[in-house]
Amino acid sequence: MCSLKTGLKSKKRLKKIRQYLEANGVSYDLLRSDGNESVERLSRMLCNNAYKTVVVVGGDGSLNDSINGIMSADFIHKDFAFGIIPSGSSNDFAKFWGIQPADYKKAVDAIIKRKTRKIDLGVCDYNTSNGQVRRFFLNCINVGLGAKLIELSNSTKIITGSQRISNIITMISQIFQRKSFNFTFKTDSENLHETVMSVCVGNTTGFGQTPNAVPYNGMLDMSVVTRPEWWQLFEGFWLLGKGKFLNYKNVHPYRIWDIAFNDIGKAKVSLDGRIIQQKMLMPIKISVIPERIPLIIP
């Protein structure tokens, strides 16, 4: 087994994880990343060297980096499986499977038992001035306000040192802006031209914006949010926190196989919590690959 440590701040917690692994006789190599590109490169290297198990100790962003490294490998062992020990500011994908960040023992026990389930992977294809790009995602893609909130939250966290405080500051800062965008997009069932504030395409819960999405039905969920009055945003954020986002009257839900954005104006795009910094040329095509990778589950 290889454990890929990414972004883990607590040395004490890492020590406990290692002690629990060793107490249960788990043989492992621990690799430490030094950035996003490093996680992707190390994951690719491990697959090319025929490792059967790669486990990420990190959050949603690190999982995304690792998955993209795995999917770009030249070789993947026939008995390969991907595992998670959650640690980071955002762990929505792990929580979907009932693995809480504080309960590292449950995550390690699952790795030892090695019960797997093949899960879907979301795919995002787009072009840049340097050529075609394909990126995979486990959780979701946000376009518009959702991506902007992620960008601002990451920036304010550097100043405040707290993810919760940065989230509150970010949400308050956006209440009176309510910026909307003219989107033109096509799903597998219809063509849409809408003035919207945010779109989330989820393979799983989409950080609460696609709460009914599951990564094993071969489909994606999409939530389209139209521009509300400023006071209605409070209700939207409250319902998001309660896991009832689809009850918000400005949300229009879809279940789709694929979608192509032909115009998103100047909206930002994030993929599993990572802002795409490159200049994306239209169209942006999003689809799903059913049962693409074996995930270790509790």
Side-chain angles (χ1 to χ4, degrees), residues 234-281:
F234 288 105
E235 179 190 9
F237 288 137
W238 184 82
L239 290 171
L240 179 64
K242 291 293 183 179
K244 300 179 180 180
F245 191 60
L246 298 185
N247 291 345
Y248 189 40
K249 69 177 183 179
N250 290 85
V251 172
H252 307 279
Y254 299 80
R255 181 156 285 174
I256 55 176
W257 282 283
D258 56 68
I259 180 174
F261 289 93
N262 295 310
D263 187 11
I264 60 171
K266 295 183 179 181
K268 292 185 176 295
V269 180
S270 73
L271 192 148
D272 278 350
R274 299 265 196 231
I275 297 295
I276 296 178
Q277 301 292 352
Q278 301 160 295
K279 175 65 176 177
M280 304 175 76
L281 305 178

Side-chain angles (χ1 to χ4, degrees), residues 215-234:
Y216 40 75
N217 64 356
M219 300 190 77
L220 298 166
D221 280 21
M222 180 172 72
S223 293
V224 177
V225 184
T226 56
R227 189 175 188 267
E229 298 297 334
W230 69 266
W231 62 83
Q232 293 174 323
L233 270 182
F234 288 105

Side-chain angles (χ1 to χ4, degrees), residues 82-146:
F82 181 67
I84 311 164
I85 300 177
S87 176
S89 57
S90 178
N91 298 279
D92 281 46
F93 187 75
K95 290 175 183 177
F96 174 84
W97 298 100
I99 308 173
Q100 297 296 325
D103 194 2
Y104 65 87
K105 291 183 179 181
K106 182 176 182 178
V108 173
D109 290 342
I111 293 163
I112 294 170
K113 294 175 183 177
R114 214 172 188 274
K115 177 184 175 182
T116 63
R117 177 168 189 167
K118 286 189 175 181
I119 63 167
D120 305 340
L121 280 185
V123 187
C124 180
D125 291 300
Y126 59 94
N127 289 293
T128 71
S129 57
N130 294 321
Q132 187 173 11
V133 178
R134 166 166 280 199
R135 299 293 293 177
F136 299 90
F137 62 95
L138 290 167
N139 198 348
C140 69
I141 288 180
N142 282 293
V143 188
L145 178 64

Side-chain angles (χ1 to χ4, degrees), residues 278-289:
Q278 301 160 295
K279 175 65 176 177
M280 304 175 76
L281 305 178
M282 301 296 111
I284 301 170
K285 297 180 180 179
I286 302 171
S287 57
V288 61
I289 304 177

Side-chain angles (χ1 to χ4, degrees), residues 24-87:
N24 283 276
V26 179
S27 177
Y28 66 93
D29 296 321
L30 178 67
L31 303 182
R32 298 172 184 265
S33 71
D34 55 9
N36 303 345
E37 293 182 1
S38 173
V39 177
E40 192 167 330
R41 175 178 54 80
L42 290 172
S43 298
R44 181 167 53 249
M45 178 194 74
L46 292 168
C47 287
N48 287 335
N49 282 277
Y51 274 77
K52 294 182 181 179
T53 310
V54 172
V55 176
V56 173
V57 184
D60 290 319
S62 298
L63 293 177
N64 178 269
D65 296 328
S66 184
I67 279 292
N68 278 279
I70 291 165
M71 294 301 294
S72 64
D74 297 320
F75 174 80
I76 298 179
H77 197 283
K78 63 181 180 66
D79 296 322
F80 177 81
F82 181 67
I84 311 164
I85 300 177
S87 176

